[in-house]
Amino acid sequence: MDRPVPTITTGPLPSSRKVYLAGEVHDIRVPLREITVSGGEAPMTVYDSSGPYTDPGARIDIAEGLADVRGDWLERRGDVAPYEGRSVTSADNGFAEGARLTPAFPRARRPLRAVGGRAITQLAFARAGIVTPEMDFVAIRENEGRKAAAARDGEAFGAEMPDLVTPEFVRDEIAAGRGIIPANVNHRELEPMIIGRNFLVKINANIGNSAVTSSMEEEVEKMVWAIRWGADTVMDLSTGRNIHNIRDWILRNAPVPIGTVPLYQALEKVGGIAEDLTWEVYRDTLIEQAEQGVDYFTIHAGVRLHMIPMTVDRVTGIVSRGGSIMAKWCLHHHRESFLYEHFEEICDICRAYDISFSLGDGLRPGSIADANDAAQFAELETLGELTKIAWGKDCQVMIEGPGHVPMHKIKANMDKQLAHCHEAPFYTLGPLTTDIAPGYDHITSAIGAAMIGWFGTAMLCYVTPKEHLGLPDRDDVKTGVITYKLAAHAADLAKGHPGAQRRDDALSRARFEFRWEDQFNLGLDPDTARAMHDETLPKEAHKVAHFCSMCGPKFCSMRISHDIRAAAEKEKGMARMAEKFREGGQLYVPNEEPAE
Amino acid sequence: MDRPVPTITTGPLPSSRKVYLAGEVHDIRVPLREITVSGGEAPMTVYDSSGPYTDPGARIDIAEGLADVRGDWLERRGDVAPYEGRSVTSADNGFAEGARLTPAFPRARRPLRAVGGRAITQLAFARAGIVTPEMDFVAIRENEGRKAAAARDGEAFGAEMPDLVTPEFVRDEIAAGRGIIPANVNHRELEPMIIGRNFLVKINANIGNSAVTSSMEEEVEKMVWAIRWGADTVMDLSTGRNIHNIRDWILRNAPVPIGTVPLYQALEKVGGIAEDLTWEVYRDTLIEQAEQGVDYFTIHAGVRLHMIPMTVDRVTGIVSRGGSIMAKWCLHHHRESFLYEHFEEICDICRAYDISFSLGDGLRPGSIADANDAAQFAELETLGELTKIAWGKDCQVMIEGPGHVPMHKIKANMDKQLAHCHEAPFYTLGPLTTDIAPGYDHITSAIGAAMIGWFGTAMLCYVTPKEHLGLPDRDDVKTGVITYKLAAHAADLAKGHPGAQRRDDALSRARFEFRWEDQFNLGLDPDTARAMHDETLPKEAHKVAHFCSMCGPKFCSMRISHDIRAAAEKEKGMARMAEKFREGGQLYVPNEEPAE
């Protein structure tokens, strides 16, 4: 077989290098990104979701996959064991054959599974008081290299972020159900991360082939590209052919948790006919994906038969693919959803591999008109019930949320989610705050995402400019990721996350001191910032200019501010003078002899 | 002299035509845009800031300028008279000469001014109980062709938007200082618009040449391009040469209010040396621009000597150009600002031409670290004092606001502005909700803009992707305008503006019914939406396809929703069934005979 030729983006971001911190409890290496800053400033250490791809020391070969990070950890635990996995069938790849079949990932590994029905989830360990390597890992990661508390300021709406995250804090959050670490035991390449409202707000990017087949290199590169810019998890929403094999390529090369909607593949297996879905096909798909290492499953078990009529008078009906598939099935058979009826069995599967639930919002509103309606909130209550069932099985859970919601109705979504779902992490798509801007829905939704992130949403699912219109290309993926990173960061700032403002301050100091390179490098997208600066002032000399292209040297307000500061330092009396004027209010006594 | 060759964008937006409504009180023609919609739906009539450029019946020649809309209105009033204006000096154009001098606008008109010191402002008329043609015009415009109240829903934070705007309501809002119609009597080409929190949220776009000279055609086209996509006012922030003549070209071709920062031109006249500014040079510049027809002046009269030391410890000092210029002047002379000291004289000028004040926020924060600090709020209080003085002179006033503000500090800005500035309209730049995304500051700021618009800001000053990095080009201007239109609309929706949701609903119905062309045309940017759809599904046939490119026909949730709706209509029992299940809660009795 010809080895595929990887065309994967590697190399560090500008002025950045990968650093690794040691674990506090376990023998682990936690990657962070260190941005070199000039002007006598200390380097800025930031969260790094990009994996080994940005480490020049790592050898990248997608046919090899990433290094096995977690194998040792799992072995030491001794509660999972390899077994002969399910055989891959032609249906798993949509019956693709011959040249149309994406080659299987070259290296096969026997899947791991819990031994003797033991609970091997992070939730089970947390409840038992155990700090796992995964918990240690995310604790260090969350602190971004900070050793001390930073000044904080914000309104957290009940979130309780500690000054510094400890492994024990992570454990306790997981035990309480407020945090999850999606980490299938078969995803051994994973660099663990945590989703919860007392941690940094995370973002997810969706990838996936569709009717038009894309190659596995393309899909792997989409994932690598998305995490390079900051995606914390990636959902593979592939439909069409080769789903199984492409997913394998993605997982073996993914340092971030991979989520899926198993229903999509199950539907492919029954020829795309929703009515033909069965619990058996679905269950088999869960096992298939569990063995591959999928870290979280979107499961639309909250769409129940009696809720479907509530959507009939909506402006946009049911807009969730999973939700509409299940609605059609329920209606056709006039039966309760097999996902709902078999939910405990699903839990047993998730528990055996430590797959987290992402309880899908199949009835989310698809338009401003449908926001916060009876169908949406009926489903949310059911998701709360299911959360309790999953927790009863030691399974980790997060809850998916809308959708399209005008600003004044956003907070109610968060409040109800907290109340009905017992503080399980919320994972929302946007929400989009208006319907009238197709082509700009990354922005209509970033407004809602930043707000709901502030209110307590733990992870934001990105929206690209192509939403409602077409399939995102490489540029769209990057635009979506950066837009959501800035929304998540705006949320961290407003929540008063103790580490958030460091980077804003460092960038603003660079801006004030005309350190252009630092300004670019400290930003979320150095390449775009530099390119935009080049458009107006292309010369390298202008990168050290003490003015910018907008005003030119004469008008530069920041330059004038420096003059003012210099003058202030010269005149020691300034501060005293300020006091005097503050006290004196409007009274002003002019200088006897104006300086001029 | 060679006539300039106009390269101006004209023609209607897709599927749109210009319609004109008659005045209720006066003999006026109020333009609106009517979007033709298929599927048996009524056309959608929307606000139209684009002026005659989108009317195929209008003859556009920028060397002629737009038609004199307001000449008759002013003549009938009889309280203004033409006079020999100030002579244009070489300094007015930055001493540009010969080939470097932008030609003067071909048609000269003697300026108008109030007769005998009379108050001729919209505020004076409103206080006298008079409904002017301008008030009539904006009342009709605000209703967007609606004849009846629409369903409304929102949280208005004290704003009181009527179901339908009447000319008398406009008058009363202006009399209360809560609304302004920036309309210099010398801007006779103007299609009046209103800024106030009980009206639709407006947006401003900035244009202007800088050190690199641009031609007058380019500047006129920038203005036309900005209003085509929805800019409600345009600020000409030109610096450098030819300021006077370019401004004339802009004004004579502008159907929207034009704002300026007269300080920029005054500074040019003294060779860019802030210390050399004098009240006399500044005053002369105000007269110069008043005679040309500038509709509102940004005046940084709130930056007072005693406040300057408060900025010394900021991370980014003073970031307003006007603010820093005045700070430098005050500090150098150790004197109170001449703008503050001569504020009543400035009012007298504004009153004679009906120029609105935009009281500048010279001390706005330029970074997250500096948000809501003592300097910022000290200035805001002073702006409140100045508002009262201006109102005492019958001058119209709005207040400029920040800047860079994290989400949790935004509401305080609005609350304090309302309290200190007596409900004068707020006009904010963004605010940007994080500093770390240079290249994406249209988005970091759209988040803040949507929120502060919701809270009560009347006009949002756009930010383009090039903010902090370079000069916006044509694409950046469009991106900035559309981004701010969607933010303003999100604010209108959340405030519960009675007309806002019509367009969302129409677009969502089109989306649900796979009317692709309607979906594009009802959006803020039909061209981009169509182009994005074409990228994935280019064929014309796909524009009527009952599925979209994301999922393809088999997976389409909306298609399934239609099936569900059809099924529901078939089974008349659905609604009853829903009731039963709602009552029965979780109890579900399966069908005896499953359909399958």
Side-chain angles (χ1 to χ4, degrees):
Chain A
M1 190 192 86
D2 282 355
R3 274 288 180 84
V5 184
T7 52
I8 303 300
T9 305
T10 59
L13 288 171
S15 202
S16 297
R17 69 187 186 102
K18 184 83 78 177
V19 294
Y20 293 93
L21 300 185
E24 286 190 18
V25 181
H26 296 273
D27 181 21
I28 55 175
R29 269 162 40 105
V30 182
L32 291 165
R33 176 179 151 218
E34 191 182 86
I35 307 169
T36 303
V37 185
S38 65
E41 295 217 356
M44 170 70 43
T45 308
V46 298
Y47 198 98
D48 187 355
S49 62
S50 64
Y53 301 97
T54 49
D55 183 349
R59 186 171 159 273
I60 302 297
D61 175 354
I62 67 165
E64 289 289 331
L66 296 178
D68 179 353
V69 175
R70 296 172 67 217
D72 277 355
W73 311 349
L74 296 164
E75 201 170 311
R76 235 167 274 154
R77 267 164 41 182
D79 53 9
V80 290
Y83 68 103
E84 266 329 301
R86 175 186 169 283
S87 300
V88 176
T89 70
S90 178
D92 297 351
N93 282 305
F95 306 100
E97 283 178 13
R100 301 185 68 176
L101 178 66
T102 297
F105 185 76
R107 184 171 47 70
R109 199 156 51 190
R110 288 202 304 163
L112 298 175
R113 187 173 56 184
V115 171
R118 285 162 69 176
I120 55 139
T121 65
Q122 297 292 322
L123 176 55
F125 293 123
R127 285 173 166 171
I130 296 166
V131 169
T132 62
E134 289 83 357
M135 297 173 197
D136 196 6
F137 195 102
V138 304
I140 289 162
R141 217 172 183 188
E142 289 285 322
N143 291 328
E144 299 181 284
R146 279 184 306 123
K147 295 273 180 262
R152 54 199 299 184
D153 170 22
E155 162 57 55
F157 298 108
E160 294 180 356
M161 294 157 290
D163 284 339
L164 283 171
V165 173
T166 62
E168 293 72 26
F169 178 78
V170 170
R171 179 195 62 201
D172 296 347
E173 286 295 294
I174 293 171
R178 275 193 301 267
I180 68 169
I181 298 180
N184 184 325
V185 292
N186 290 310
H187 190 189
R188 287 151 62 167
E189 303 81 359
L190 181 72
E191 297 175 352
M193 53 77 71
I194 191 159
I195 300 166
R197 85 182 154 120
N198 292 327
F199 302 95
L200 289 161
V201 176
K202 304 303 188 298
I203 71 164
N204 171 69
N206 296 328
I207 62 168
N209 71 340
S210 74
V212 185
T213 312
S214 51
S215 71
M216 70 278 197
E217 293 98 337
E218 279 174 78
E219 290 306 314
V220 171
E221 168 61 5
K222 274 189 210 167
M223 178 273 294
V224 171
W225 184 243
I227 65 177
R228 179 177 183 83
W229 299 111
D232 294 290
T233 78
V234 168
M235 289 195 77
D236 173 15
L237 301 183
S238 292
T239 58
R241 297 176 200 279
N242 292 308
I243 297 187
H244 180 96
N245 284 358
I246 288 180
R247 189 190 305 121
D248 234 10
W249 283 90
I250 293 171
L251 275 160
R252 298 291 73 78
N253 287 285
V256 298
I258 299 296
T260 63
V261 186
L263 193 63
Y264 295 175
Q265 189 180 11
L267 186 64
E268 292 287 347
K269 291 179 181 175
V270 295
I273 313 295
E275 304 86 289
D276 291 353
L277 281 166
T278 61
W279 162 241
E280 289 68 29
V281 168
Y282 187 82
R283 184 185 176 286
D284 180 59
T285 306
L286 294 182
I287 301 287
E288 171 189 352
Q289 299 196 10
E291 292 179 349
Q292 288 186 294
V294 170
D295 300 287
Y296 63 90
F297 286 156
T298 291
I299 301 206
H300 297 94
V303 179
R304 298 190 54 196
L305 179 61
H306 73 273
M307 298 169 189
I308 300 166
M310 300 181 195
T311 67
V312 169
D313 293 330
R314 281 180 158 186
V315 169
T316 45
I318 300 175
V319 295
S320 149
R321 279 191 263 174
S324 63
I325 292 163
M326 288 314 301
K328 192 165 190 185
W329 188 93
C330 292
L331 213 61
H332 179 84
H333 298 286
H334 224 274
R335 285 196 56 166
E336 188 57 276
S337 152
F338 62 82
L339 298 177
Y340 184 79
E341 293 194 329
H342 293 274
F343 191 72
E344 296 209 11
E345 289 170 74
I346 298 172
C347 292
D348 289 333
I349 295 169
C350 289
R351 169 189 166 100
Y353 301 89
D354 197 7
I355 297 164
S356 297
F357 279 96
S358 184
L359 290 175
D361 55 338
L363 302 181
R364 69 169 173 270
S367 55
I368 292 297
D370 296 342
N372 294 20
D373 73 355
Q376 184 194 335
F377 287 140
E379 182 186 32
L380 186 64
E381 286 185 44
T382 303
L383 300 185
E385 288 170 33
L386 298 173
T387 299
K388 289 260 180 179
I389 295 168
W391 283 351
K393 296 275 191 178
D394 287 320
C395 292
Q396 303 188 89
V397 181
M398 63 182 165
I399 309 290
E400 296 186 9
H404 291 236
V405 184
M407 282 189 285
H408 65 293
K409 291 185 174 171
I410 291 176
K411 185 125 194 319
N413 277 274
M414 190 70 230
D415 293 343
K416 281 184 195 287
Q417 192 272 346
L418 287 171
H420 295 317
C421 300
H422 325 291
E423 298 194 272
F426 205 18
Y427 166 32
T428 63
L429 177 77
L432 286 71
T433 53
T434 166
D435 303 339
I436 69 166
Y440 299 79
D441 280 331
H442 59 309
I443 306 178
T444 64
S445 67
I447 294 168
M451 290 175 71
I452 206 161
W454 175 24
F455 300 149
T457 289
M459 185 158 77
L460 308 170
C461 182
Y462 89 165
V463 172
T464 77
K466 289 273 174 62
E467 182 76 13
H468 298 118
L469 296 169
L471 293 171
D473 62 19
R474 186 179 171 84
D475 288 341
D476 297 318
V477 167
K478 179 172 173 184
T479 300
V481 169
I482 301 280
T483 299
Y484 270 66
K485 284 301 281 184
L486 72 86
H489 185 76
D492 285 332
L493 277 177
K495 283 170 82 176
H497 188 287
Q501 204 182 310
R502 292 176 316 139
R503 191 166 174 181
D504 295 80
D505 291 352
L507 194 146
S508 290
R509 285 193 301 271
R511 186 169 277 157
F512 189 63
E513 292 169 10
F514 304 100
R515 288 184 271 115
W516 288 97
E517 290 292 340
D518 290 347
Q519 193 183 146
F520 306 148
N521 296 334
L522 288 164
L524 292 175
D525 179 0
D527 299 345
T528 296
R530 183 175 286 103
M532 286 187 175
H533 191 257
D534 281 351
E535 274 181 47
T536 317
L537 286 179
K539 289 186 204 142
E540 207 48 46
H542 284 132
K543 299 288 181 289
V544 292
H546 276 201
F547 58 89
C548 72
S549 53
M550 283 79 81
C551 317
K554 280 196 302 194
F555 271 100
C556 179
S557 59
M558 290 210 180
R559 192 183 171 86
I560 293 177
S561 283
H562 283 278
D563 294 347
I564 291 169
R565 188 171 289 189
E569 277 170 21
K570 218 161 133 190
E571 291 190 37
K572 288 286 179 200
M574 277 295 276
R576 283 198 307 281
M577 205 178 76
E579 276 309 312
K580 181 173 145 197
F581 281 112
R582 266 185 219 121
E583 288 160 18
Q586 294 177 56
L587 181 71
Y588 174 70
V589 188
N591 234 10
E592 272 134 47
E593 288 208 312
E596 197 185 31
Chain B
M1 192 191 85
D2 281 355
R3 274 287 181 83
V5 185
T7 52
I8 303 301
T9 305
T10 59
L13 288 170
S15 202
S16 297
R17 68 186 187 104
K18 185 82 80 175
V19 294
Y20 293 93
L21 299 186
E24 286 190 18
V25 181
H26 295 273
D27 180 19
I28 55 175
R29 269 164 39 105
V30 182
L32 291 165
R33 177 179 150 218
E34 192 182 86
I35 307 170
T36 303
V37 185
S38 66
E41 295 218 356
M44 171 68 45
T45 308
V46 298
Y47 199 98
D48 186 355
S49 62
S50 64
Y53 301 98
T54 49
D55 184 348
R59 189 172 156 271
I60 302 297
D61 176 353
I62 68 164
E64 289 288 329
L66 296 179
D68 179 354
V69 175
R70 296 172 68 216
D72 278 355
W73 310 351
L74 296 165
E75 200 169 313
R76 237 168 269 153
R77 266 162 45 182
D79 52 9
V80 290
Y83 68 103
E84 265 329 302
R86 175 186 169 284
S87 300
V88 176
T89 69
S90 178
D92 297 350
N93 281 305
F95 307 100
E97 282 178 15
R100 302 184 68 175
L101 178 66
T102 297
F105 185 76
R107 184 172 46 69
R109 197 155 54 189
R110 289 200 304 163
L112 298 175
R113 185 174 56 187
V115 170
R118 284 162 70 175
I120 55 140
T121 65
Q122 298 291 324
L123 177 54
F125 292 123
R127 285 172 167 172
I130 295 166
V131 169
T132 62
E134 288 84 357
M135 297 174 198
D136 195 7
F137 194 103
V138 304
I140 290 162
R141 221 173 178 186
E142 289 286 321
N143 291 329
E144 299 183 283
R146 279 185 305 124
K147 296 274 181 261
R152 54 200 300 183
D153 171 21
E155 163 55 59
F157 297 107
E160 294 180 353
M161 294 157 291
D163 284 339
L164 284 170
V165 173
T166 62
E168 293 71 26
F169 178 79
V170 172
R171 178 195 63 202
D172 295 347
E173 286 296 294
I174 293 172
R178 277 194 299 268
I180 68 169
I181 298 180
N184 183 325
V185 292
N186 290 311
H187 190 189
R188 287 151 62 169
E189 301 83 359
L190 180 72
E191 296 175 352
M193 53 76 71
I194 191 160
I195 300 166
R197 87 182 153 119
N198 292 328
F199 302 96
L200 290 161
V201 176
K202 304 303 189 299
I203 71 163
N204 171 71
N206 296 327
I207 61 168
N209 71 338
S210 74
V212 185
T213 311
S214 52
S215 73
M216 70 279 197
E217 292 98 337
E218 279 175 78
E219 290 306 313
V220 171
E221 169 60 7
K222 274 189 211 166
M223 178 272 295
V224 170
W225 184 243
I227 65 177
R228 179 179 183 83
W229 299 111
D232 294 290
T233 78
V234 168
M235 288 195 78
D236 173 17
L237 302 183
S238 292
T239 57
R241 296 175 202 280
N242 294 309
I243 297 187
H244 180 95
N245 285 357
I246 288 179
R247 187 189 305 122
D248 234 10
W249 282 92
I250 292 171
L251 275 161
R252 299 290 73 81
N253 287 285
V256 299
I258 299 297
T260 63
V261 186
L263 194 64
Y264 295 174
Q265 188 180 11
L267 187 64
E268 292 287 348
K269 289 179 181 176
V270 296
I273 313 296
E275 304 88 287
D276 292 352
L277 281 166
T278 63
W279 161 241
E280 288 69 29
V281 167
Y282 187 81
R283 183 184 177 287
D284 179 59
T285 306
L286 294 182
I287 300 287
E288 172 191 349
Q289 299 195 10
E291 291 180 349
Q292 288 185 292
V294 171
D295 299 288
Y296 63 90
F297 286 155
T298 291
I299 300 203
H300 297 94
V303 179
R304 298 189 56 196
L305 180 60
H306 73 273
M307 297 170 188
I308 300 166
M310 299 181 195
T311 68
V312 168
D313 293 329
R314 280 180 160 187
V315 168
T316 45
I318 299 175
V319 295
S320 150
R321 279 191 265 174
S324 63
I325 293 164
M326 288 315 300
K328 190 162 191 188
W329 188 94
C330 292
L331 214 61
H332 180 85
H333 296 287
H334 224 273
R335 284 195 57 167
E336 188 56 275
S337 153
F338 62 80
L339 298 177
Y340 184 79
E341 292 196 328
H342 292 275
F343 191 73
E344 296 210 11
E345 288 170 76
I346 298 172
C347 291
D348 289 333
I349 295 169
C350 288
R351 168 188 166 100
Y353 300 89
D354 198 5
I355 297 165
S356 296
F357 278 96
S358 185
L359 291 175
D361 56 338
L363 302 182
R364 69 169 173 268
S367 55
I368 292 297
D370 296 343
N372 293 19
D373 73 354
Q376 184 195 334
F377 286 141
E379 182 186 31
L380 186 63
E381 287 186 42
T382 302
L383 299 185
E385 287 170 34
L386 297 174
T387 298
K388 289 263 180 176
I389 294 168
W391 282 352
K393 296 274 192 177
D394 288 319
C395 291
Q396 303 188 90
V397 181
M398 64 181 165
I399 309 291
E400 296 186 9
H404 292 236
V405 184
M407 282 188 286
H408 66 292
K409 291 185 174 173
I410 291 177
K411 185 126 196 315
N413 277 273
M414 190 71 229
D415 293 344
K416 282 185 194 286
Q417 192 273 346
L418 287 172
H420 294 319
C421 299
H422 326 291
E423 297 195 273
F426 205 19
Y427 167 31
T428 64
L429 178 77
L432 286 71
T433 52
T434 166
D435 304 339
I436 69 165
Y440 299 80
D441 279 330
H442 59 308
I443 306 178
T444 65
S445 67
I447 294 167
M451 291 176 69
I452 206 162
W454 175 25
F455 300 149
T457 288
M459 186 158 77
L460 308 170
C461 183
Y462 88 166
V463 171
T464 77
K466 290 272 175 62
E467 183 76 13
H468 298 119
L469 296 170
L471 293 171
D473 62 20
R474 185 181 172 84
D475 287 343
D476 297 318
V477 166
K478 181 174 172 183
T479 300
V481 168
I482 300 281
T483 300
Y484 270 67
K485 284 300 281 184
L486 73 84
H489 185 77
D492 285 333
L493 277 177
K495 284 170 81 176
H497 188 288
Q501 205 181 310
R502 291 179 314 141
R503 192 167 172 180
D504 295 80
D505 291 351
L507 193 146
S508 290
R509 285 193 301 270
R511 185 169 279 157
F512 189 63
E513 293 169 9
F514 303 100
R515 288 185 269 115
W516 287 98
E517 290 291 339
D518 289 346
Q519 193 182 149
F520 307 148
N521 295 332
L522 287 163
L524 292 175
D525 180 0
D527 299 345
T528 296
R530 182 175 287 102
M532 287 186 175
H533 191 258
D534 282 349
E535 273 180 49
T536 317
L537 286 180
K539 289 185 202 140
E540 206 49 47
H542 285 131
K543 299 290 180 290
V544 293
H546 276 201
F547 58 90
C548 72
S549 52
M550 282 78 79
C551 317
K554 280 197 301 194
F555 271 100
C556 180
S557 59
M558 289 207 181
R559 194 184 169 85
I560 293 176
S561 283
H562 283 278
D563 294 348
I564 291 168
R565 189 171 289 188
E569 277 170 21
K570 220 160 133 191
E571 292 190 37
K572 289 285 178 200
M574 277 293 276
R576 282 198 308 280
M577 203 178 77
E579 274 311 310
K580 180 174 145 197
F581 281 112
R582 266 185 220 122
E583 286 159 18
Q586 293 176 57
L587 181 70
Y588 174 70
V589 187
N591 233 10
E592 270 134 48
E593 289 207 309
E596 194 185 32

